[in-house]
């Protein structure tokens, strides 16, 4: 019988009585030996959870070390991996945490093989494979990794057979890519054929919030839009086939989480749940049939241009089925900037959608970015003004509006990254020079605690406002949001 992980063990989900085939590490966003983590919640690493769950389904003993959620230092993360002695260790590489991931990899025992994936791995595979700190990287996996990771863990299979798996030729010191006929199915695992995520691998999921147990879910993979700043932009992911889980499968997972773990609140974190009309129609029919609104509430990301076209009856149906909050990427209050970043929305659409949602008691979380390339001071001021306007609209409605504001930073592979490099004013090294910025005044300013994990900056002035002006506006909006919540 499987014995549960001891509470003192930072590794989740594995069987400690047997050798560990793989340990998947969620790298800390900063070295917490320098300053303790001040956030009290981190979104669960669902992608890693899917990989671990599928590997376990194939019979491997795997675990997840969520060093970010646990607030581990770099040294403690290295020590935990070496102490566990897995055959493989896997990293999900992201641009802001790549340097820390590489540092951790360089400190591992030499008999531990390394595999990597994620947005940074896809965008810059050659740079990663030739990084001396990644010398023991035996597999760089581009794209969705569930089935290929399981194949890599099976010593009877060859990495050379697997498409989209890269490594460094030991003699030529140049990248090599695997792939043999008959293995293309690995690039797009069937989303309805994957097992539901085993929550034992996740540190804070389900978690208790406002008297309910809440869990995060993924309903679809891929995004058809090409927002210039986004790592999910379609032009940055030509290998991704857009796939939506069946509504019946989603409801089955929700009911399983309710029955086994008491979950009655759900957060759909993918791009398409409320971002495509056909998906909305399928979900509302199935949710209504299953009477989801009688026992559950749920949040989801949405697209303003899609929601703008919905009729009143569909919005009513979403509210009746338990829709509690919609997260919307608004990004800017400037019409020109919205066109520049290819959002396909206008300010009037933003106001209309938010008013219609709030009037039904559906809350809205709006995401904004300050400091876009080419942005003027007047345009940044338009964004600040739009946030205040939406707060005022919410004050007169049953629903609540909250804002989350970020400083622009470029990500490799995105349309904006390519556009910036094309100007000739920047090098990849400059654009990748992410620095963790402490806006909390060394942890004292509690108004900024919940956004501490998002504060990364290249320190480059991309538009007319200076970096200092961008951060001042960000702090003002974040503090105002905090005071609104506390009122």
């Amino acid at each position: 019988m499987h014995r549960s992980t001891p509470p003192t063990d930072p590794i989740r989900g594995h069987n400690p009585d047997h050798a560990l085939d793989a340990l998947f590490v969620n790298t800390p966003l900063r070295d917490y030996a320098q300053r303790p983590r001040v956030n009290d919640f981190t979104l669960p690493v669902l992608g890693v959870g899917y990989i671990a769950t599928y590997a376990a389904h194939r019979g491997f003993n795997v675990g997840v070390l969520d060093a970010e959620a646990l607030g581990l230092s770099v040294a403690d993360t290295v020590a935990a991996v070496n102490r566990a002695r897995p055959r493989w260790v896997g990293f999900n590489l992201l641009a802001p945490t790549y340097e820390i991931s590489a540092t951790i990899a360089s400190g591992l025992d030499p008999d531990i093989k390394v595999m990597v994936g994620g947005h940074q791995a896809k965008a810059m595979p050659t740079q990663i494979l030739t990084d001396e700190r990644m010398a023991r990287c035996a597999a760089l996996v581009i794209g969705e990794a569930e089935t290929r990771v399981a194949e890599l863990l099976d010593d009877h299979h060859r990495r050379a057979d697997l498409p989209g798996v890269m490594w460094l030729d030991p003699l030529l010191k140049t990248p090599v890519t695997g792939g043999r006929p008959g293995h293309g199915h690995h690039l797009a695992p069937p989303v309805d054929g994957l097992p539901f995520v085993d929550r034992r691998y996740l540190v804070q999921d389900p978690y208790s919030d406002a008297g309910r147990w809440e869990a995060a879910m993924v309903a679809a993979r891929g995004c058809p839009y090409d927002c210039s700043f986004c790592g999910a932009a379609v032009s940055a992911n030509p290998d991704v086939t857009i796939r939506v889980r069946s509504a019946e499968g989603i409801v089955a997972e929700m009911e399983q989480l309710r029955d086994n773990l008491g979950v009655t609140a759900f957060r759909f974190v993918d791009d398409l749940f409320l971002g495509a009309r056909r998906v909305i129609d399928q979900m509302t029919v199935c949710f209504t049939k299953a009477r989801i609104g009688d026992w559950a509430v749920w949040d989801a990301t949405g697209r303003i241009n899609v929601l703008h076209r919905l009729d009143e009856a569909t919005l009513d149906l979403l509210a009746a089925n338990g829709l509690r909050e919609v997260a919307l990427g608004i990004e800017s209050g400037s019409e020109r900037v919205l066109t520049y970043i290819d959002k396909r929305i206008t300010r009037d659409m933003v106001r209309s959608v938010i008013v219609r949602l709030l009037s039904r008691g559906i809350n809205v979380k709006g995401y904004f970015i300050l400091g876009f390339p080419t942005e003027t001071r007047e345009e940044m001021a338009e964004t600040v003004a739009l946030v205040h306007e939406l707060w005022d609209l919410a004050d007169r409605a049953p629903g609540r509006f909250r804002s989350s504001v970020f400083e622009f930073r470029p990500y490799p592979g995105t349309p904006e990254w390519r556009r910036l490099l094309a100007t000739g004013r920047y090098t990849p090294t400059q654009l990748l020079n992410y620095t963790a910025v402490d806006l909390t005044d060394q942890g004292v300013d509690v108004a900024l605690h919940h956004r501490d994990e998002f504060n990364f900056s290249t320190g480059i002035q991309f538009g007319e406002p200076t970096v200092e002006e961008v951060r001042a506006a960000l702090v003002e909006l974040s503090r105002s949001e905090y005071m609104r919540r506390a009122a």
Side-chain angles (χ1 to χ4, degrees):
M1 179 178 291
H2 179 88
R3 193 179 77 184
S4 62
T5 304
T8 56
D9 189 343
I11 299 172
R12 297 296 192 268
H14 70 306
N15 185 340
D17 294 333
H18 293 85
L20 199 57
D21 292 304
L23 178 60
F24 304 106
V25 177
N26 184 35
T27 302
L29 286 165
R30 62 176 84 210
D31 189 347
Y32 291 114
Q34 300 176 9
R35 179 173 65 78
R37 184 174 181 270
V38 296
N39 289 338
D40 57 12
F41 176 74
T42 298
L43 279 174
V45 284
L46 282 180
V48 171
Y50 265 108
I51 293 170
T53 300
Y54 185 80
H57 186 71
R58 288 278 301 271
F60 298 105
N61 183 30
V62 300
V64 173
L65 177 62
D66 192 340
E68 169 58 26
L70 297 174
L72 298 184
S73 68
V74 170
D76 286 343
T77 304
V78 171
V81 176
N82 287 335
R83 189 165 55 246
R85 300 175 61 189
R87 289 194 295 122
W88 286 86
V89 64
F91 294 95
N92 178 33
L93 300 182
L94 305 173
T97 58
Y98 174 72
E99 289 298 316
I100 293 180
S101 295
T103 299
I104 293 170
S106 68
L108 300 182
D109 291 341
D111 57 342
I112 299 175
K113 291 186 289 187
V114 172
M115 66 173 71
V116 300
H119 282 296
Q120 186 76 354
K122 175 186 284 190
M124 308 187 77
T126 299
Q127 293 88 334
I128 291 166
L129 289 171
T130 55
D131 185 335
E132 291 184 359
R133 296 169 297 177
M134 288 289 185
R136 290 196 297 281
C137 180
L140 183 149
V141 184
I142 295 176
E144 299 171 37
E146 287 92 349
T147 61
R148 284 176 292 168
V149 166
E151 297 294 290
L152 289 167
L153 296 182
D154 188 340
D155 290 334
H156 295 94
H157 293 144
R158 300 171 62 246
R159 64 184 176 181
D161 293 335
L162 301 174
V165 172
M166 301 179 66
W167 63 93
L168 201 65
D169 184 282
L171 296 178
L172 299 178
K173 302 300 180 184
T174 56
V176 178
T177 304
R180 294 286 187 272
H183 290 79
H185 61 279
H186 287 297
L187 296 176
V191 291
D192 282 320
L194 297 173
F196 299 156
V197 173
D198 188 335
R199 306 286 158 162
R200 293 178 303 167
Y201 294 112
L202 308 178
V203 173
Q204 292 180 307
D205 191 283
Y207 71 99
S208 181
D209 181 55
R212 289 180 179 267
W213 284 100
E214 182 166 330
M217 292 180 59
V218 172
R221 297 190 178 188
C223 179
Y225 295 98
D226 207 35
C227 301
S228 70
F229 57 89
C230 183
V234 65
S235 66
N237 300 277
D239 58 309
V240 175
T241 303
I242 296 173
R243 285 150 295 143
V244 181
R245 292 175 59 190
S246 72
E248 293 78 10
I250 291 169
V251 168
E253 184 175 7
M254 295 171 73
E255 291 176 340
Q256 183 188 89
L257 286 166
R258 177 196 62 191
D259 296 343
N260 295 346
L261 299 173
V263 175
T264 59
F266 303 89
R267 179 186 300 193
F268 293 93
V269 297
D270 52 273
D271 296 302
L272 281 183
F273 198 77
L274 293 178
R277 180 60 194 257
R278 66 180 180 87
V279 178
I280 294 172
D281 290 342
Q282 292 168 2
M283 296 305 168
T284 51
V285 169
C286 197
F287 276 30
T288 301
K289 182 179 179 180
R291 303 181 67 88
I292 295 295
D294 290 352
W295 60 270
V297 295
W298 49 279
D299 307 339
T301 54
R303 287 284 310 191
I304 290 169
N305 55 332
V306 173
L307 294 173
H308 182 65
R309 294 192 295 269
L310 293 185
D311 55 47
E312 303 302 315
T314 302
L315 290 177
D316 290 340
L317 196 56
L318 288 170
N321 274 289
L323 178 55
R324 179 179 59 178
E325 182 175 77
V326 181
L328 299 173
I330 302 170
E331 319 310 352
S332 178
S334 161
E335 300 285 7
R336 188 199 68 83
V337 171
L338 289 172
T339 300
Y340 173 84
I341 62 177
D342 200 13
K343 277 303 293 185
R344 306 186 190 183
I345 62 175
T346 66
R347 283 181 300 190
D348 285 343
M349 290 167 62
V350 170
R351 295 184 188 99
S352 173
V353 167
I354 290 178
V355 167
R356 294 170 73 204
L357 291 170
L358 295 178
S359 68
R360 289 168 168 82
I362 300 171
N363 300 325
V364 176
K365 182 178 184 180
Y367 291 104
F368 300 86
I369 297 174
L370 304 178
F372 276 117
T374 76
E375 185 177 56
T376 67
R377 287 188 175 89
E378 181 179 355
E379 288 168 336
M380 189 175 78
E382 287 182 283
T383 301
V384 173
L386 179 59
V387 175
H388 282 273
E389 179 183 350
L390 296 176
W391 281 336
D392 291 340
L393 288 174
D395 288 340
R396 303 190 295 272
R400 177 170 54 91
F401 175 81
R402 58 191 179 116
S403 64
S404 189
V405 190
F406 303 88
E407 177 182 340
F408 170 79
R409 52 180 180 257
Y411 291 126
T414 61
E416 199 62 54
W417 175 273
R418 296 192 295 269
R419 196 151 55 186
L420 288 168
L421 289 180
T423 67
R425 295 196 295 268
Y426 312 101
T427 66
T429 300
Q430 288 174 308
L431 298 180
L432 285 172
N433 187 27
Y434 300 108
T435 301
V437 179
D438 182 16
L439 299 177
T440 70
D441 190 18
Q442 296 300 306
V444 175
D445 191 343
V446 296
L448 297 169
H449 277 195
H450 287 279
R451 60 161 303 104
D452 186 40
E453 65 182 291
F454 303 110
N455 295 332
F456 288 86
S457 173
T458 60
I460 297 173
Q461 178 179 338
F462 291 104
E464 184 181 27
T466 65
V467 173
E468 291 73 21
E469 289 172 325
V470 169
R471 291 182 189 164
L474 188 155
V475 168
E476 183 273 322
L477 289 171
S478 297
R479 285 180 176 156
S480 296
E481 178 63 53
Y482 177 82
M483 296 304 296
R484 286 176 57 83
R485 294 189 206 178

